[in-house]
Amino acid sequence: MGKGGKPDEGDGFGDASRDGVEQENMAAWLLGVNTLKIQPFKLPNLGPHDVLVRLKAVGICGSDVHHFKNMRCADFVVKEPMVIGHECAGIVEEVGSEVKHLVPGDRVALEPGINCKRCELCKQGRYNLCPKMKFFGSPPTHGCLANQVVHPGDLCFKLPDNVSLEEGAMCEPLSVGVHACRRANVGPRTNVLVMGAGPIGLVTLLAARAFEAPRIVVADVNDHRLSVARALGAHEIVKVSTNIEEVAEEVAKIKEAMGTRVDVSFDCAGFNKTMATALSATGSGGKVCLVGMGQRELTLPLTSATAREVNVIGIFRYKNTWPLCLELLRSGKVDVKPLITHRFGFSQKEVEKAFETSAGGGNAIKVMFNL
């Protein structure tokens, strides 16, 4: 396992216990489908480059819900009990001897993925694609829905004074939107379509606004989420259906709402219907960025898109996004607070209720634990 839980022997991430002293640390363990239980969670030793963080804010992500409901998310399969969670912020309690940029008491946001730093992808700067990545709450690595975790100091980012711990935890989903906008080269001359107004669609909208996209249209099946998108700055919203036979009609509505060419489309849902709509709506020479993972396999109308030289771009998580996310929050260019719709404490009953709320959809956008 990576940081935050008992590591594999010889993995270079610390020893099996903290100075032989059992710590009173509790975490939410995923034991089976729809089964979470708060149980003791043993921490590794604090290495010279590590910090011990007491978690204060942890969000529930769609991938957490997939693990909770199905014991898998895409190709990541939960095969043994695992601590869940990866969106987090907290307060530093102890620092390793080589950590110079943090001191106990600092409030930090944690980037959840530990890369090897040695493979070719890491050396090229694309560390998010590292094949040896150890990522909070992605099997088999334990997550962060716990009282405390041990994590590398270089992946802990000090929060500006005017950024709350909850906002710090929101750096993780916001990073997905920021990385998507970087991959698609969104800028002041890029008109953007966002398919899907769930949490990731909404942070992609916020990121596109921060990247100064002049016009943003958001499409979704849910009226409430569309109203949230409008409140967050979407220039136009379009109600769509789940019927793939209606793609052509809905593309016409999207183009009318945009009023000009669609340069970049972000599919933040990841279904045949949403991707087909994005490909059809995007102008010749434009880009479609697949962000969501609603289906493991997609059947798509690529021939027409190829003839128009529409580029399809994939993204996987993010890289080097926390400093920019924190600056966007500090400056007020991005406000993630309206996305946090539900809050829960850290008890067995509240953990169960929180996951039921997040999985149930409805008016819930981001469900947050306050530890």
Side-chain angles (χ1 to χ4, degrees):
M1 302 300 178
K3 283 301 176 190
K6 184 176 179 181
D8 297 326
E9 290 186 10
D11 69 357
F13 289 111
D15 298 320
S17 63
R18 288 180 47 72
D19 302 323
V21 178
E22 194 71 29
Q23 300 295 304
E24 186 177 347
N25 186 47
M26 305 298 285
W29 290 76
L30 179 62
L31 303 180
V33 173
N34 295 330
T35 306
L36 287 163
K37 187 175 181 180
I38 295 181
Q39 298 182 147
F41 180 33
K42 189 176 183 180
L43 293 175
N45 272 346
L46 189 74
H49 299 281
D50 297 333
V51 296
L52 174 66
V53 180
R54 180 165 294 277
L55 281 311
K56 291 296 183 181
V58 179
I60 297 179
C61 175
S63 62
D64 297 324
V65 174
H66 277 292
H67 287 133
F68 175 65
K69 301 296 290 185
N70 307 302
M71 295 294 282
R72 75 178 300 153
C73 181
D75 294 328
F76 298 94
V77 181
V78 182
K79 298 180 180 179
E80 58 186 27
M82 180 187 78
V83 176
I84 203 164
H86 60 269
E87 303 177 359
C88 60
I91 298 174
V92 173
E93 292 198 327
E94 188 178 349
V95 301
S97 59
E98 297 301 314
V99 177
K100 307 302 182 184
H101 68 294
L102 296 171
V103 297
D106 282 345
R107 301 176 314 124
V108 291
L110 283 65
E111 182 174 349
I114 305 171
N115 62 83
C116 76
K117 296 182 170 64
R118 294 184 288 273
C119 71
E120 283 304 310
L121 287 164
C122 284
K123 290 177 180 179
Q124 292 168 11
R126 304 188 72 179
Y127 68 83
N128 56 311
L129 304 178
C130 174
K132 296 183 179 179
M133 177 72 77
K134 296 184 177 184
F135 190 93
F136 274 158
S138 183
T141 306
H142 288 307
C144 64
L145 186 45
N147 297 131
Q148 297 172 305
V149 294
V150 170
H151 205 53
D154 64 345
L155 296 175
C156 297
F157 298 85
K158 188 173 178 180
L159 300 183
D161 291 342
N162 66 334
V163 174
S164 71
L165 287 158
E166 286 190 338
E167 291 172 284
M170 289 294 291
C171 281
E172 199 282 336
L174 180 59
S175 286
V176 176
V178 166
H179 183 55
C181 286
R182 283 175 168 173
R183 288 274 289 153
N185 293 318
V186 172
R189 299 180 64 183
T190 312
N191 298 304
V192 168
L193 167 65
V194 178
M195 296 298 300
I200 293 300
L202 294 174
V203 293
T204 301
L205 159 64
L206 291 174
R209 287 192 65 209
F211 279 61
E212 300 181 346
R215 193 154 180 82
I216 305 169
V217 173
V218 178
D220 198 276
V221 300
N222 184 285
D223 286 317
H224 173 70
R225 293 194 172 193
L226 285 173
S227 69
V228 174
R230 172 78 84 180
L232 291 175
H235 297 93
E236 294 290 343
I237 54 176
V238 177
K239 177 81 175 286
V240 294
S241 74
T242 59
N243 184 358
I244 201 162
E245 300 297 324
E246 297 178 4
V247 166
E249 177 184 343
E250 291 170 358
V251 166
K253 291 181 180 178
I254 288 168
K255 289 182 176 180
E256 181 180 0
M258 183 66 76
T260 185
R261 152 198 168 87
V262 177
D263 299 300
V264 171
S265 293
F266 294 103
D267 181 2
C268 298
F271 293 100
N272 286 331
K273 167 76 187 301
T274 53
M275 194 61 177
T277 304
L279 287 166
S280 299
T282 302
S284 297
K287 301 168 188 164
V288 174
C289 187
L290 179 56
V291 183
M293 296 191 298
Q295 293 178 225
R296 293 186 67 199
E297 295 183 356
L298 298 173
T299 302
L300 303 173
L302 288 176
T303 304
S304 172
T306 299
R308 293 182 294 111
E309 294 193 359
V310 174
N311 291 334
V312 178
I313 301 169
I315 76 158
F316 186 63
R317 295 174 180 155
Y318 32 68
K319 61 185 179 74
N320 300 317
T321 52
W322 259 252
L324 176 56
C325 288
L326 289 172
E327 174 56 24
L328 292 174
L329 295 171
R330 184 204 65 79
S331 66
K333 288 192 73 173
V334 167
D335 183 7
V336 293
K337 294 188 292 295
L339 300 181
I340 305 170
T341 55
H342 294 73
R343 293 174 173 84
F344 293 88
F346 189 54
S347 67
Q348 181 66 41
K349 182 177 180 180
E350 290 193 84
V351 166
E352 292 172 354
K353 181 63 174 175
F355 272 84
E356 290 170 5
T357 300
S358 187
N363 291 344
I365 298 176
K366 179 57 62 179
V367 176
M368 186 73 66
F369 290 102
N370 295 136
L371 286 77

PDB file of all heavy atoms in Angstrom, residues 354-367:
ATOM      1  N   ALA A 354     -23.995   9.642   4.292  1.00  0.00           N
ATOM      2  CA  ALA A 354     -23.310  10.472   3.305  1.00  0.00           C
ATOM      3  C   ALA A 354     -23.178   9.752   1.972  1.00  0.00           C
ATOM      4  O   ALA A 354     -23.425  10.331   0.904  1.00  0.00           O
ATOM      5  CB  ALA A 354     -21.936  10.881   3.825  1.00  0.00           C
ATOM      6  N   PHE A 355     -22.786   8.483   2.008  1.00  0.00           N
ATOM      7  CA  PHE A 355     -22.631   7.736   0.761  1.00  0.00           C
ATOM      8  C   PHE A 355     -23.977   7.451   0.109  1.00  0.00           C
ATOM      9  O   PHE A 355     -24.088   7.470  -1.125  1.00  0.00           O
ATOM     10  CB  PHE A 355     -21.821   6.459   0.992  1.00  0.00           C
ATOM     11  CG  PHE A 355     -20.347   6.669   0.851  1.00  0.00           C
ATOM     12  CD1 PHE A 355     -19.597   7.134   1.915  1.00  0.00           C
ATOM     13  CD2 PHE A 355     -19.712   6.439  -0.360  1.00  0.00           C
ATOM     14  CE1 PHE A 355     -18.236   7.362   1.784  1.00  0.00           C
ATOM     15  CE2 PHE A 355     -18.357   6.661  -0.510  1.00  0.00           C
ATOM     16  CZ  PHE A 355     -17.610   7.126   0.567  1.00  0.00           C
ATOM     17  N   GLU A 356     -24.994   7.226   0.909  1.00  0.00           N
ATOM     18  CA  GLU A 356     -26.338   7.056   0.348  1.00  0.00           C
ATOM     19  C   GLU A 356     -26.791   8.347  -0.342  1.00  0.00           C
ATOM     20  O   GLU A 356     -27.388   8.315  -1.420  1.00  0.00           O
ATOM     21  CB  GLU A 356     -27.330   6.681   1.456  1.00  0.00           C
ATOM     22  CG  GLU A 356     -27.138   5.293   2.031  1.00  0.00           C
ATOM     23  CD  GLU A 356     -27.978   5.065   3.284  1.00  0.00           C
ATOM     24  OE1 GLU A 356     -28.768   5.964   3.629  1.00  0.00           O
ATOM     25  OE2 GLU A 356     -27.814   4.013   3.919  1.00  0.00           O
ATOM     26  N   THR A 357     -26.488   9.479   0.283  1.00  0.00           N
ATOM     27  CA  THR A 357     -26.861  10.768  -0.293  1.00  0.00           C
ATOM     28  C   THR A 357     -26.136  11.026  -1.604  1.00  0.00           C
ATOM     29  O   THR A 357     -26.740  11.443  -2.600  1.00  0.00           O
ATOM     30  CB  THR A 357     -26.547  11.904   0.704  1.00  0.00           C
ATOM     31  OG1 THR A 357     -27.288  11.694   1.911  1.00  0.00           O
ATOM     32  CG2 THR A 357     -26.896  13.265   0.129  1.00  0.00           C
ATOM     33  N   SER A 358     -24.824  10.758  -1.622  1.00  0.00           N
ATOM     34  CA  SER A 358     -24.046  10.990  -2.834  1.00  0.00           C
ATOM     35  C   SER A 358     -24.475  10.045  -3.950  1.00  0.00           C
ATOM     36  O   SER A 358     -24.615  10.459  -5.105  1.00  0.00           O
ATOM     37  CB  SER A 358     -22.552  10.824  -2.533  1.00  0.00           C
ATOM     38  OG  SER A 358     -21.766  11.196  -3.638  1.00  0.00           O
ATOM     39  N   ALA A 359     -24.699   8.789  -3.601  1.00  0.00           N
ATOM     40  CA  ALA A 359     -25.086   7.800  -4.611  1.00  0.00           C
ATOM     41  C   ALA A 359     -26.492   8.047  -5.128  1.00  0.00           C
ATOM     42  O   ALA A 359     -26.817   7.691  -6.271  1.00  0.00           O
ATOM     43  CB  ALA A 359     -24.989   6.387  -4.032  1.00  0.00           C
ATOM     44  N   GLY A 360     -27.332   8.669  -4.320  1.00  0.00           N
ATOM     45  CA  GLY A 360     -28.727   8.884  -4.694  1.00  0.00           C
ATOM     46  C   GLY A 360     -28.944   9.992  -5.691  1.00  0.00           C
ATOM     47  O   GLY A 360     -30.031  10.110  -6.274  1.00  0.00           O
ATOM     48  N   GLY A 361     -27.915  10.815  -5.927  1.00  0.00           N
ATOM     49  CA  GLY A 361     -28.071  11.908  -6.884  1.00  0.00           C
ATOM     50  C   GLY A 361     -28.997  12.978  -6.343  1.00  0.00           C
ATOM     51  O   GLY A 361     -28.720  13.592  -5.314  1.00  0.00           O
ATOM     52  N   GLY A 362     -30.120  13.193  -7.008  1.00  0.00           N
ATOM     53  CA  GLY A 362     -31.044  14.241  -6.584  1.00  0.00           C
ATOM     54  C   GLY A 362     -30.384  15.600  -6.658  1.00  0.00           C
ATOM     55  O   GLY A 362     -29.732  15.941  -7.651  1.00  0.00           O
ATOM     56  N   ASN A 363     -30.532  16.389  -5.600  1.00  0.00           N
ATOM     57  CA  ASN A 363     -29.944  17.728  -5.565  1.00  0.00           C
ATOM     58  C   ASN A 363     -28.530  17.750  -5.003  1.00  0.00           C
ATOM     59  O   ASN A 363     -27.925  18.811  -4.874  1.00  0.00           O
ATOM     60  CB  ASN A 363     -30.830  18.669  -4.751  1.00  0.00           C
ATOM     61  CG  ASN A 363     -32.149  18.959  -5.448  1.00  0.00           C
ATOM     62  OD1 ASN A 363     -32.290  18.716  -6.643  1.00  0.00           O
ATOM     63  ND2 ASN A 363     -33.116  19.479  -4.706  1.00  0.00           N
ATOM     64  N   ALA A 364     -28.006  16.573  -4.642  1.00  0.00           N
ATOM     65  CA  ALA A 364     -26.649  16.511  -4.095  1.00  0.00           C
ATOM     66  C   ALA A 364     -25.625  16.741  -5.204  1.00  0.00           C
ATOM     67  O   ALA A 364     -25.705  16.140  -6.274  1.00  0.00           O
ATOM     68  CB  ALA A 364     -26.409  15.167  -3.426  1.00  0.00           C
ATOM     69  N   ILE A 365     -24.675  17.628  -4.949  1.00  0.00           N
ATOM     70  CA  ILE A 365     -23.566  17.817  -5.878  1.00  0.00           C
ATOM     71  C   ILE A 365     -22.297  17.302  -5.206  1.00  0.00           C
ATOM     72  O   ILE A 365     -21.826  16.213  -5.500  1.00  0.00           O
ATOM     73  CB  ILE A 365     -23.435  19.280  -6.319  1.00  0.00           C
ATOM     74  CG1 ILE A 365     -24.719  19.702  -7.077  1.00  0.00           C
ATOM     75  CG2 ILE A 365     -22.216  19.474  -7.203  1.00  0.00           C
ATOM     76  CD1 ILE A 365     -24.744  21.154  -7.474  1.00  0.00           C
ATOM     77  N   LYS A 366     -21.760  18.069  -4.271  1.00  0.00           N
ATOM     78  CA  LYS A 366     -20.596  17.589  -3.537  1.00  0.00           C
ATOM     79  C   LYS A 366     -20.959  17.343  -2.091  1.00  0.00           C
ATOM     80  O   LYS A 366     -21.455  18.233  -1.395  1.00  0.00           O
ATOM     81  CB  LYS A 366     -19.451  18.604  -3.600  1.00  0.00           C
ATOM     82  CG  LYS A 366     -18.187  18.201  -2.834  1.00  0.00           C
ATOM     83  CD  LYS A 366     -17.622  16.864  -3.301  1.00  0.00           C
ATOM     84  CE  LYS A 366     -17.200  16.882  -4.733  1.00  0.00           C
ATOM     85  NZ  LYS A 366     -16.618  15.584  -5.174  1.00  0.00           N
ATOM     86  N   VAL A 367     -20.745  16.112  -1.645  1.00  0.00           N
ATOM     87  CA  VAL A 367     -20.974  15.725  -0.260  1.00  0.00           C
ATOM     88  C   VAL A 367     -19.625  15.769   0.472  1.00  0.00           C
ATOM     89  O   VAL A 367     -18.657  15.183   0.004  1.00  0.00           O
ATOM     90  CB  VAL A 367     -21.596  14.317  -0.179  1.00  0.00           C
ATOM     91  CG1 VAL A 367     -21.736  13.868   1.268  1.00  0.00           C
ATOM     92  CG2 VAL A 367     -22.949  14.297  -0.889  1.00  0.00           C
TER      93      VAL A 367
END
